[in-house]
Amino acid sequence: MKNRILSCSLALPFLLLSLHSSAQDNTRQKVNEIAATARGHVGMAMMSLESGDTMTLNGNDHFPMQSVFKVPLAIAVLDQVDKGKLSLDQVIHITKKELLPFTWSPIREKYPEGTDLKLREVLAYTVSQSDNNGCDILFNLVGGTAYVEQYIHGLGIDSMAIKANEERMASAWKVQYTNWSSPLATLQLLKGIHTGKYLSKSSNDFLLKIMKETTTGPKRLRGMLPSDAVVAHKTGSSDTKDGLTAATNDAGIITLPDGSHLAIVVFVSDTKVNEAIREGVIARMTRLFWDAAN
C-alpha cells in the first residue's frame, strides 16, 4: 500500500516553546518516521492542555472511529443525566435478545440470559470494557445515532460523524467508515472533557473515572509509559478483512509527572501491517510526546 504519510503540520510550536527549531524539526521527523512504519493512513493530534501547544499529522483527515465513538455517546448520555431525564442509578432491563452473539460483549459473557444493571454500570461496561451490546443499548436509550451526532455537532464539533451503531457496523465492512472523525475533532472533544466544558462536575468526574479504568488496548497509549501513568482513554478497533485492518485507534488524556496533561489522538487506518506494528505506532508517538514534555 502506498504510504500516505507525507508531512507533519504544526498548528503551534511543539510543547516546549524553549525548544530550538532544530529540536522541533527532529520531533517532526520522528513523528513521520513512526507513522511511516504503518504503511497506511495515520492521523495524530496532540495538545498540551495547559499551554494549548498543538501538533498534528493529517489532523483534518477523516478516519473510521470504531469504538472511540463510545466517548461522545457517553457524553450525550451523561448530558441527559445532568438534565434530569436519566439517572445513573436507574435500572436498565437488558433482555437476552439485546445481547447479540458474535460481537464483543462482557455483559453477555457474564449475563447470557439478560440482567438488570444500573445505568452507571452499563456506561462503565461500554467505555471501560468497550461492550458493543452495552453501546447499542445506550444509543437506544438516548434516541439513536442521529441524536448523538446532532448533540455532538451542537457542542461545536463538526468534523465527526456518528451514523451507525455497533450492530449496523457489523453488517457490512464499509459501514464502519460512516462513523468518522478527524484527529483534531477528537482532540477538541478531549479538551472539552478535561476542562469540564460539557457536563456537570459529577458527570464529568464519572466519565474520566471510567475512561481511566479502560482495559482494552494496553499496548497503545499506555504501551510505553510508566506502569503508574494515569491515562483516561478510549480505544477503537476494527476487524481485519483480506489482510486489511481499517482501524487501530486510541484517544485520551495523559497526566504527566508534574501534574500537567497531554491529550493525544492516534488513528491508524487501512493498513496490512500486523497488530504489533499498528499498536507500536500509537505507543511510540505517545512516548515521544511524554519524553518531550518531561
Side-chain angles (χ1 to χ4, degrees), residues 49 167 175 216 253 260 279:
L49 289 169
E167 183 178 9
V175 175
T216 56
I253 300 166
S260 61
E279 294 190 320

Side-chain angles (χ1 to χ4, degrees), residues 56 68 84:
T56 68
V68 172

